[in-house]
Amino acid sequence: MSDPSGNSAGNLLSNVSPPSALPANLILAPAAPPLSQTGNPASESVSVASEGAAAEPHIPTKFSPAIPPSKDTSAEQTPAAEDPSANLGHLNLNPEPVSAALGPLTQSGSSLFGWVKDAASSGGGILSKVAEKAKNSVDTIVTTLDPQMKEYIYSGGDVEVIVASDKDDKVRPCREAFQNVFGKATVLGLQAQPNNIAAQPVGFEAALRGAQERTADLRTNSRIGDKLPVVAVENFTVEAFPDQWFDAGLLLLTDPRRNLTLKTVTQMTAIPLSVITAIREDTPKEYQFQDTGFAVTVGQVMANNLGVHHAEWHKCYTGISRSDMILSAAKSLATVYKRSISSSDES
């Protein structure tokens, strides 16, 4: 029968795996030799320490400068310090002065700075056009928010025109037309009435006579006289075809200083024959201006039949307001007037 204690110890040791190898980078101090019983303990410990120190790798603890301290560098200078251009011999430096070297860049033409100079010039350069467009955009925003600001923003310039009427549906489209054509223009409206013309002129000749009388009424003003151009608007009816009547407006511009007289006519609006028959019957036979037209206007009868204000019957009847009709004709008149001014000034 075997020993129980020894047998169990053998079984336990047989189950333990062998030890693994230590890492290769692990540096171990050499094992100290066993102490001799007869030797000197102090000398043996010193020898062991010396051997351990010899076995360890050398780790420097002192800074090692690139230049030895024994070398004296106080009197030495590098070639670069003596002559900065000594090491730049391989570079091709420009011997010209800076102003001459930058000459091609600062000259006008296709060069960069020349393009910038031309772009910034006030005579129609790109930057001036951008600034003008920005100004126009701001003016458009302001006039959209407050349409009455148009009169103040675009007033001024070298053109001053007087409209022979104080009614807004005549003055406003004339002002807008001249400011649109000339850029800036001062357009004012003053009351003027014809004295020897029927309330409703009939025919082109009667319309021209009415416009001339309105103009003559304003010329008596010393401020206007023969110095300022005057635009007169006279509405009339005309029988363009047998039993077919139309309403239209005559625009007359006179500029005595330049000896100019210009005329244009607005869009025509067809008038029902029954309306013409009614105003003819309402005109007294003893009406003193019967040779030039009727005593009752077309606007009065049309407004009563449509149930609107007499100045709004064009819009209600045709979809186009009277002011829009005058605006189109006034733009054409202002354009012809501007061309005539240029030709007159050149000659």
Side-chain angles (χ1 to χ4, degrees), residues 265-294:
V265 180
T266 66
Q267 170 185 327
M268 290 188 174
T269 303
I271 304 299
L273 183 59
S274 59
V275 174
I276 301 298
T277 303
I279 62 177
R280 179 184 285 120
E281 292 177 353
D282 292 340
T283 301
K285 292 182 180 181
E286 62 276 6
Y287 184 55
Q288 59 177 343
F289 304 122
Q290 191 173 7
D291 60 330
T292 57
F294 305 123

Side-chain angles (χ1 to χ4, degrees), residues 104-105 107-115 118:
L105 291 178
Q107 294 174 359
S108 60
S110 59
S111 62
L112 174 62
F113 287 91
W115 179 86
D118 294 340

Side-chain angles (χ1 to χ4, degrees), residues 36-115:
S36 173
Q37 297 294 332
T38 59
N40 186 1
S43 61
E44 290 179 357
S45 62
V46 170
S47 62
V48 170
S50 300
E51 293 177 359
E56 290 181 357
H58 174 71
I59 300 176
T61 59
K62 241 174 159 187
F63 173 72
S64 177
I67 301 176
S70 60
K71 185 175 180 65
D72 185 10
T73 60
S74 60
E76 295 183 1
Q77 292 183 350
T78 61
E82 296 175 356
D83 186 6
S85 60
N87 295 329
L88 301 178
H90 64 285
L91 297 179
N92 185 14
L93 298 181
N94 189 357
E96 299 177 347
V98 176
S99 59
L102 295 180
L105 291 178
T106 57
Q107 294 174 359
S108 60
S110 59
S111 62
L112 174 62
F113 287 91
W115 179 86

Side-chain angles (χ1 to χ4, degrees), residues 267 269 313-325:
Q267 170 185 327
T269 303
W313 74 267
H314 292 85
K315 176 70 172 178
C316 182
Y317 188 64
T318 65
I320 302 175
S321 65
R322 182 191 185 193
S323 61
D324 288 341
M325 296 179 184

Side-chain angles (χ1 to χ4, degrees), residues 4-218:
S5 61
N7 193 14
S8 64
N11 293 335
L12 289 174
L13 293 176
S14 61
N15 293 332
V16 177
S17 60
S20 58
L22 294 176
N25 57 357
L26 183 62
I27 301 176
L28 298 178
L35 296 176
S36 173
Q37 297 294 332
T38 59
N40 186 1
S43 61
E44 290 179 357
S45 62
V46 170
S47 62
V48 170
S50 300
E51 293 177 359
E56 290 181 357
H58 174 71
I59 300 176
T61 59
K62 241 174 159 187
F63 173 72
S64 177
I67 301 176
S70 60
K71 185 175 180 65
D72 185 10
T73 60
S74 60
E76 295 183 1
Q77 292 183 350
T78 61
E82 296 175 356
D83 186 6
S85 60
N87 295 329
L88 301 178
H90 64 285
L91 297 179
N92 185 14
L93 298 181
N94 189 357
E96 299 177 347
V98 176
S99 59
L102 295 180
L105 291 178
T106 57
Q107 294 174 359
S108 60
S110 59
S111 62
L112 174 62
F113 287 91
W115 179 86
V116 173
K117 180 180 178 181
D118 294 340
S121 63
S122 59
I126 296 176
L127 298 182
S128 63
K129 292 180 180 179
V130 172
E132 182 65 22
K133 190 171 184 180
K135 177 184 177 299
N136 294 336
S137 300
V138 173
D139 292 344
T140 302
I141 295 173
V142 173
T143 54
T144 301
L145 297 177
D146 187 1
Q148 295 181 353
M149 288 297 294
K150 285 184 179 180
E151 179 179 353
Y152 302 98
I153 292 177
Y154 299 108
S155 293
D158 299 330
V159 179
E160 186 174 359
V161 180
I162 306 299
V163 180
S165 176
D166 59 349
K167 293 181 172 58
D168 183 69
D169 60 346
K170 290 183 178 181
V171 178
R172 180 170 46 82
C174 289
R175 177 185 296 118
E176 183 176 348
F178 277 85
Q179 290 178 347
N180 182 273
V181 173
F182 287 91
K184 282 185 176 295
T186 301
V187 181
L188 302 176
L190 298 176
Q191 183 179 5
Q193 290 293 336
N195 297 322
N196 302 309
I197 199 75
Q200 178 60 69
V202 176
F204 289 95
E205 184 179 351
L208 178 60
R209 182 176 171 181
Q212 289 173 342
E213 290 191 5
R214 291 178 185 273
T215 303
D217 189 21
L218 288 184

